[in-house]
């Protein structure tokens, strides 16, 4: 039903923007990210789609009238894999082309901006779906202090106006699993049942920087020591409130002045946690704030919390799920499953405006957010074929 | 015996190089550091001193024949105070001028390079005194990956040849205490008895970077978690082998890829410890390597140690100490003391070649390695006066 060669050739061309080894370095609003979006807009025009960039740089390729929206994102992590987001966008482009060629149902295509959270969390789709006010987004800073407003101004010359969600009947996002489940089970496809919720906030600990040779241990207010006690304390204290699928991560750490002969006066770090249950997310937050507060107290550190960003758990639309499930059963009989998504996706935001569903293909070794990220070509093609059949139904 | 106005005016002019608020940003081989050394060379020439830059950028101002060497360093911490090193260098310049004007004993002046350890530990004086081979020093990297060889090449055009230690009869370094002892006791001067030893090494922990949403906690190899367990483990395990004056510090931390949605795959951190007793330094090293090794084992992290840099504890020359003590007793009767130096200084290296001694003036609030670092003007002048009298004896 699809043109696999055309799909693969576009997917590999997209990989060339910000290419680094086998991976990509294409963070939101970087030069390669913007160049990739301009290239994608050209492919969309070739496919007869009307292209539109909205005010935050989300790129839409539109069919006239009512249509089904498909897509994902083309920005990457600071050190990202070549398929994260890219697969879903190029798969959507191919399905839109193939369906049009068959005179099938109209399919529009989207690449959302800053899904990887250089600023907030899935920022582009959050603004588009109304989950995040633009003014609020504009105030967000990346880890080097650049504001979202400054960053999106780099795409201002491309902006061609807003896109109303009411023109779409639903949204389907195809994505690599980014986890080990399908790969370990030797399966080809995963039909997503729901997406876990996420919470993310920046924490600043301020102590007293001083000479590392003349400041006795008992007089120190060492911010790195504070971070250490928090990380170890969370290991112990969160165990009691979480399930095996709950996760928490300190992924970003910035130390000042960051010199080996100075007691560190300040640490800024990211605190992120995820769970499928809304109440559990709240209980985890209580424990996290308790532990951080207690350590700050013990060490005499000043404590400051950034805004609590995040998204609630989201259930997929049963109707769209069913169409994906029956298509999956045709393409890979006995080699697909229903499963939750531990990763956050743009579909989480779009669910505020439209019925949404997601389809996963395996990640080799479960590796993602890493240059080594990859998926077998046959599985990529099976994914696109499944999307095409789900649309044709 | 000295010209206090001339001394203060030079000290404040030096402060203008790399000035930032009340402090200075003048790391070794930075533009402001090199500019400050060129300015200092001009002051030396005015004072009738023959100036010489050696191959690593140490700046000497030489009297003919045999002379007493005095000085310290003019490079600063990434965020440094205005007196750390600068006081000792300008004090030496003033004492050399004043002694010459009185027809007193000849005093040469030095500003050593990279005392603050952008690369190693007191790198410039370590190379000059033969404690560190130049080839070895050239291979050292700063935290951003620049090599010592690349950095010192920035001063190549200034190099005017080596300086033989045999022309000097001894070395006296004046310095701010950088600790709270004199300030809390309301005293003016400290005659140093010995300098504690230091050990410094870089540690690299490598785990597996992966998606922070889809990687279950029990499958993670999180390098930041490793750092946290090490820092907390050292708090507990070192207590048994140290004294109240022993210190250890994790002052530099670098996380990769350092993004909030990625389980951190790699952490590089600095591990530094100091003590007055050689055997205790070795016992501390055993405990440190044990704890780091055990944590790496627990979390499945690859472990890599950089070279172990450091300096052994050093006793000050009794003859020079006595001259400083009797001068101190004239300048500040009842307001001076004998004391150890918890901070490392160039004198530690110079002791390999010459008899050395040190004189401390108070640090207000014990604050150093911080923009807020300061000393009462009267105490600064008392320090220079004491040096002048010690020389005249």
């Amino acid at each position: 039903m699809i043109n696999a060669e055309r799909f693969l050739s576009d997917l590999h061309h997209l990989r060339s923007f910000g290419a680094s080894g086998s991976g990509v370095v294409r963070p939101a609003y970087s030069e390669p990210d913007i160049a990739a979006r301009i290239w994608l807009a050209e492919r969309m025009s070739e496919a007869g789609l009307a292209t539109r960039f909205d005010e935050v740089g989300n790129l839409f390729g539109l069919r006239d009238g009512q249509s089904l929206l498909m897509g994902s994102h083309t920005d990457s992590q600071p050190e990202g894999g070549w398929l994260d987001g890219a697969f879903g966008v190029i798969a959507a482009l191919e399905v839109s082309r193939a369906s049009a060629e068959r005179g099938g149902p109209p399919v529009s295509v989207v690449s959302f901006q800053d899904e990887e959270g250089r600023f907030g969390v899935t920022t582009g789709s959050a603004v588009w779906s109304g989950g995040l006010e633009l003014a609020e987004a504009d105030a967000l800073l990346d880890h080097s202090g650049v504001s979202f407003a400054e960053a999106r101004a780099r795409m201002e010359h491309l902006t061609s106006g807003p896109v109303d969600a009411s023109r779409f009947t639903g949204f389907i996002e195809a994505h690599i699993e980014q986890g080990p489940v399908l790969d370990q089970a030797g399966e080809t496809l995963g039909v997503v049942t729901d997406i876990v919720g996420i919470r993310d906030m920046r924490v600043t600990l301020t102590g007293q920087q001083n000479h590392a040779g003349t400041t006795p241990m008992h007089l120190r207010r060492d911010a790195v020591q504070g971070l250490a006690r928090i990380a170890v304390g969370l290991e112990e204290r969160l165990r009691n409130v979480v399930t095996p699928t709950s996760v928490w991560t300190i992924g970003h750490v910035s130390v000042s002045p960051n010199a080996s002969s100075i007691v560190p006066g300040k640490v800024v770090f990211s605190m992120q946690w995820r769970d499928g249950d809304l109440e559990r997310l709240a209980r985890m937050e209580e424990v996290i704030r308790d532990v951080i507060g207690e350590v700050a107290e013990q060490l005499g550190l000043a404590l400051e919390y950034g805004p609590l960003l995040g998204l609630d758990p989201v259930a997929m639309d049963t109707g769209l799920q069913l169409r994906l499930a029956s298509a999956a059963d045709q393409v890979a009989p006995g080699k697909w499953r229903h499963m939750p998504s531990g990763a956050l996706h743009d579909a989480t935001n779009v669910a505020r405006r439209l019925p949404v569903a997601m389809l996963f293909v395996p990640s080799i070794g479960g590796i993602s957010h890493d240059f080594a990220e990859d998926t077998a070509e046959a599985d990529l093609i099976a994914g696109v074929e499944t999307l095409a059949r789900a649309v044709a139904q």
Side-chain angles (χ1 to χ4, degrees), chain A:
Chain A
M1 267 183 148
I2 59 151
N3 183 333
E5 261 180 41
R6 180 173 56 180
F7 158 72
L8 290 172
S9 127
D10 283 343
L11 188 61
H12 282 280
H13 191 95
L14 176 54
R15 183 183 199 165
S16 68
F17 295 95
S20 175
S22 60
V24 292
V25 176
R26 204 166 59 220
Y29 304 106
S30 65
E31 247 176 64
D33 169 59
I34 295 171
R37 288 171 190 275
I38 291 169
W39 167 83
L40 179 61
E42 289 160 359
R43 297 289 78 64
M44 287 172 165
S45 304
E46 283 175 7
L49 294 157
T51 63
R52 203 171 300 171
F53 283 98
D54 72 8
E55 57 198 347
V56 300
N58 296 321
L59 168 60
F60 291 84
L62 302 170
R63 292 285 181 215
D64 295 341
Q66 288 279 297
S67 62
L68 178 66
L69 182 64
M70 299 179 75
S72 187
H73 62 94
T74 47
D75 62 296
S76 85
Q77 284 281 343
E79 292 179 10
W82 74 293
L83 294 170
D84 183 354
F87 167 65
V89 171
I90 302 301
L93 176 64
E94 176 53 30
V95 170
S96 177
R97 288 185 296 218
S99 185
E101 287 161 358
R102 282 195 328 275
V107 175
S108 295
V109 181
V110 64
S111 169
F112 288 110
Q113 183 53 288
D114 195 28
E115 193 274 345
E116 297 293 1
R118 172 182 166 189
F119 294 94
V121 176
T122 61
T123 323
S125 55
V127 172
W128 181 75
S129 61
L132 176 65
E133 290 300 323
L134 182 57
E136 220 178 310
D138 278 342
L140 296 173
L141 302 179
D142 71 5
H143 288 306
S144 62
V146 177
S147 74
F148 184 74
E150 295 169 79
R152 72 183 179 91
R154 298 193 55 194
M155 291 186 67
E156 220 160 21
H157 61 292
L158 297 168
T159 307
S160 46
V163 173
D164 190 327
S166 64
R167 64 184 296 148
F168 305 121
T169 57
F171 176 65
I172 298 178
E173 179 172 14
H175 208 282
I176 53 169
E177 178 196 336
Q178 308 186 280
V181 177
L182 292 174
D183 186 52
Q184 282 184 8
E187 295 174 342
T188 304
L189 300 163
V191 176
V192 176
T193 52
D194 48 276
I195 302 174
V196 303
I198 182 172
R199 296 290 181 265
D200 206 329
M201 65 182 175
R202 193 168 305 184
V203 183
T204 303
L205 299 172
T206 307
Q208 171 64 53
Q209 86 177 55
N210 212 326
H211 190 290
T214 59
T215 314
M217 300 308 285
H218 70 281
L219 291 182
R220 295 185 176 199
R221 294 191 291 127
D222 182 329
V224 165
Q225 207 58 31
L227 169 66
R229 289 195 194 179
I230 287 164
V232 170
L234 289 175
E235 271 192 295
E236 296 157 1
R237 301 270 292 275
L238 278 173
R239 295 271 176 238
N240 315 322
V241 302
V242 301
T243 73
T245 62
S246 313
V247 294
W248 62 94
T249 306
I250 294 174
H252 174 83
V253 177
S254 164
V255 176
S256 309
N258 215 27
S260 55
S261 291
I262 309 184
V263 178
K266 185 177 172 188
V267 168
V268 180
F269 66 95
S270 63
M271 186 71 236
Q272 184 186 94
W273 60 105
R274 308 181 191 222
D275 194 276
D277 178 67
L278 199 53
E279 286 177 13
R280 194 174 298 109
L281 282 170
R283 282 206 299 282
M284 291 174 77
E285 179 180 353
E286 280 172 33
V287 173
I288 287 164
R289 290 188 190 263
D290 285 352
V291 169
I292 293 174
E294 290 163 21
V295 170
E297 180 76 27
Q298 289 164 14
L299 294 178
L301 304 172
L303 171 58
E304 193 188 320
Y305 289 108
L308 179 68
L309 303 167
L311 293 155
D312 294 343
V314 169
M316 301 293 97
D317 176 76
T318 47
L320 290 175
Q321 258 190 82
L322 186 57
R323 284 164 68 177
L324 286 173
S326 40
D329 200 56
Q330 295 164 27
V331 173
K335 291 187 143 292
W336 67 280
R337 70 169 63 195
H338 285 288
M339 65 189 294
S341 170
L344 180 70
H345 297 289
D346 289 309
T348 313
N349 293 316
V350 178
R352 299 173 58 91
R353 316 295 301 278
L354 300 168
V356 303
M358 292 194 70
L359 180 71
F360 280 168
V361 294
S363 295
I364 295 172
I367 294 170
S368 182
H369 284 191
D370 188 297
F371 289 164
E373 171 188 285
D374 203 7
T375 298
E377 204 165 80
D379 293 338
L380 294 173
I381 292 166
V384 186
E385 182 64 27
T386 302
L387 293 173
R389 288 171 185 259
V391 167
Q393 284 165 20

